[in-house]
Amino acid sequence: MPVVLWVAQALLAALFTAAGGMKLAMSPDALIPLMPWVEDFRPETIKAIGALEVLGAVGLILPRATNIAPALTPAAAAGLAVIMAGGAVVHVTRGEYPHGIGNITVLLIAALTAWGTLRSLP
């Protein structure tokens, strides 16, 4: 099981680093063709979501890898699951059902990662 958890953590970390990094680095106008939902939010909100995604990605890897406060890893995974729940709501209310399904899929992976890493704590 630990190898599966590490693979899930690494994939989630890569996904959230990329998605959050784009939200932090790009202007909202440049993001609209990639993420049309950003036109419904203030630029500060988009940056905050990006920062939370990047911090969550760091929290998925660093605490367990360094064995410093490893309880932060399931907390980060749970936090990212909450972000994905919000994303699913946004996409479904906008009628973007395939994106909502993608959010729910990532939400489930993050929730299972939170559960698995919580169970593996000493």
Side-chain angles (χ1 to χ4, degrees):
M1 182 76 147
V3 172
V4 173
L5 285 174
W6 275 111
V7 169
Q9 287 170 239
L11 291 174
L12 287 170
L15 172 77
F16 283 106
T17 299
M22 283 192 336
K23 291 176 187 89
L24 287 173
M26 297 173 70
S27 71
D29 291 333
L31 282 172
I32 289 174
L34 302 170
M35 303 174 190
W37 60 269
V38 300
E39 64 190 1
D40 294 345
F41 292 87
R42 294 184 12 219
E44 297 84 10
T45 304
I46 297 163
K47 299 294 182 193
I49 293 168
L52 289 171
E53 289 176 343
V54 170
L55 289 172
V58 170
L60 284 172
I61 303 296
L62 206 54
R64 265 186 91 202
T66 62
N67 205 28
I68 299 172
L72 292 177
T73 296
L80 291 171
V82 170
I83 290 173
M84 287 295 97
V89 169
V90 168
H91 287 302
V92 169
T93 57
R94 289 177 49 93
E96 301 167 348
Y97 300 109
H99 294 290
I101 292 169
N103 285 115
I104 291 169
T105 302
V106 175
L107 180 154
L108 292 174
I109 295 168
L112 289 172
T113 300
W115 175 75
T117 54
L118 186 61
R119 288 196 55 201
S120 70
L121 288 175

